[in-house]
């Protein structure tokens, strides 16, 4: 359901390149375009840079979900209200598991979203700022503010969530994050994909098993800074501007992989 797959992997993955680590703070100048970058119908784009949020493999990082508890019966009630609202809005009897990531992407009613969870004893002092609870994306208040400072309204919806210590200490404000659009910004022919053929002879693109560099069409990405894309390996791309604003926001187990950026020629 989420744009991030399970953060429990099984493959071996080298550490992120130094340029990717540095990008989280100082954003080095873009690397020179490779021959594969300059396809005849595209030209390199140097004014917009993007990264893909990917998972490392063989890590055992735990999502925020594992560090909190909630009123199970209340969440069941709210979940059913979300489903019923989806059915009424779209004129269907289909009963989805949940509605945060279903097309058409429409904001959930804030009254149908749980408002607080309780921090478990033994939870780490520093919680992940970008994670999941109840299989829904959740970000810290700092991350939410950085996103909304750059993004146009209507691309994501945020729902406040207080994380309350069991001993009644200071609450931490987080937000469930719902993507409201599903983009198609990759250029598969330039790298990171292989072409498949169906029985009827039609073709389609599939991500390669390795984390080869992929390319984005900067015009299709437009002014977006964090977007859920149909061909992203883990669902999400992020702009260099937002990366610079956020600094080190990803938990262990997730990293940034720089993409290529092109524009259609002419």
């Amino acid at each position: 359901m989420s744009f991030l797959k399970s953060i429990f992997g099984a493959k071996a993955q080298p550490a992120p390149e130094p340029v990717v680590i540095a990008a989280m703070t100082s954003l080095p100048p873009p690397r020179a375009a490779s021959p594969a970058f300059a396809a005849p119908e595209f030209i390199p784009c140097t004014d917009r840079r993007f990264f893909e949020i990917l998972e490392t493999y063989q890590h055992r990082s735990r999502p925020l979900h594992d560090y909190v508890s909630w009123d199970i019966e209340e969440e069941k009630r709210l979940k059913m209200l979300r489903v019923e609202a989806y059915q009424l809005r779209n004129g269907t009897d289909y009963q989805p598991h949940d509605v945060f990531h279903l097309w058409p992407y429409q904001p959930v009613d804030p009254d149908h979203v749980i408002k607080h969870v309780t921090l478990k004893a033994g939870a780490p002092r520093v919680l992940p700022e970008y994670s999941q609870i109840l299989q829904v994306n959740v970000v810290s208040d700092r991350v939410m503010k950085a996103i909304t400072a750059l993004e146009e309204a209507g691309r994501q919806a945020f729902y406040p969530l207080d994380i309350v210590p069991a001993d009644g200490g200071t609450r931490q404000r987080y937000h469930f994050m719902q993507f409201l659009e599903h983009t198609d910004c990759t250029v598969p022919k330039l790298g990171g994909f292989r072409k498949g053929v169906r029985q009827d002879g039609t073709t389609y693109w599939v991500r390669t098993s390795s984390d080869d560099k992929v390319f984005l069409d900067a015009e299709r990405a437009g002014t977006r800074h964090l977007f859920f894309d149909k061909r992203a390996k883990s669902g999400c791309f992020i702009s260099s501007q937002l990366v610079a604003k956020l600094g080190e926001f990803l938990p262990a187990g997730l990293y940034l992989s720089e993409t290529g950026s092109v524009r259609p020629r002419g």
Side-chain angles (χ1 to χ4, degrees):
M1 289 176 58
S2 171
F3 75 97
L4 293 177
K5 298 179 296 184
S6 168
I7 60 174
F8 298 92
K11 295 185 286 186
Q13 174 68 28
E17 299 177 5
V19 65
V20 173
I21 297 172
M24 301 183 71
T25 52
S26 60
L27 287 172
R31 292 172 292 183
S34 66
F37 187 92
E41 65 269 45
F42 292 97
I43 58 175
C45 173
T46 58
D47 59 329
R48 295 231 58 201
R49 299 173 61 198
F50 299 95
F51 297 86
E52 186 173 9
I53 298 176
L54 293 176
E55 303 169 6
T56 59
Y57 304 124
Q58 291 188 339
H59 70 82
R60 293 295 182 266
S61 297
R62 296 168 63 187
L64 193 50
H65 179 103
D66 288 351
Y67 300 127
V68 297
S69 60
W70 53 88
D71 185 329
I72 295 176
E73 292 305 315
E74 173 64 2
E75 169 53 23
K76 285 181 179 178
R77 184 185 73 84
L78 293 172
K79 177 179 176 179
M80 185 51 62
L81 290 176
R82 295 194 294 270
V83 172
E84 290 174 352
Y86 173 87
Q87 291 174 318
L88 288 172
R89 185 168 56 231
N90 296 288
T92 179
D93 293 329
Y94 172 60
Q95 184 172 328
H97 175 70
D98 211 331
V99 302
F100 281 96
H101 299 278
L102 287 180
W103 175 263
Y105 298 99
Q106 297 169 318
V108 174
D109 187 330
D111 290 336
H112 297 169
V113 182
I114 196 167
K115 299 296 190 296
H116 70 270
V117 294
T118 302
L119 194 63
K120 294 179 180 178
R125 294 184 61 183
V126 179
L127 298 177
E129 291 195 275
Y130 185 89
S131 191
Q132 293 181 337
I133 295 177
L134 295 167
Q135 296 183 309
V136 179
N137 309 311
V138 63
V139 297
S140 70
D141 193 58
R142 183 186 77 86
V143 171
M144 183 279 293
K145 289 176 178 176
I147 294 170
T148 55
L150 291 178
E151 284 282 33
E152 294 180 8
R155 290 175 176 168
Q156 302 94 6
F158 294 93
Y159 308 93
L161 176 73
D162 284 337
I163 299 180
V164 184
D167 61 6
T170 303
R171 297 180 174 218
Q172 297 185 61
R173 174 56 60 90
Y174 272 69
H175 302 265
F176 286 116
M177 179 175 68
Q178 178 189 11
F179 284 92
L180 300 180
E181 57 180 6
H182 198 182
T183 61
D184 182 8
C185 298
T186 60
V187 185
K189 65 173 67 176
L190 295 185
F193 295 83
R194 64 175 177 81
K195 184 180 287 189
V197 181
R198 301 183 181 90
Q199 289 185 346
D200 63 4
T202 59
T203 60
Y204 59 92
W205 292 99
V206 181
R207 284 294 291 264
T208 55
S209 57
S210 60
D211 289 333
D212 295 333
K213 185 175 183 178
V214 301
F215 291 79
L216 296 181
D217 183 325
E219 290 190 358
R220 277 186 263 160
T223 60
R224 292 176 179 85
H225 293 277
L226 183 69
F227 48 105
F228 176 49
D229 195 89
K230 64 182 292 184
R231 291 195 179 99
K233 183 165 286 189
S234 295
C236 194
F237 290 105
I238 184 170
S239 72
S240 59
Q241 296 99 314
L242 183 53
V243 168
K245 194 174 185 68
L246 286 173
E248 296 189 19
F249 73 104
L250 291 176
L254 298 178
Y255 71 100
L256 299 175
S257 177
E258 188 168 7
T259 71
S261 185
V262 297
R263 297 185 190 279
R265 188 178 296 275

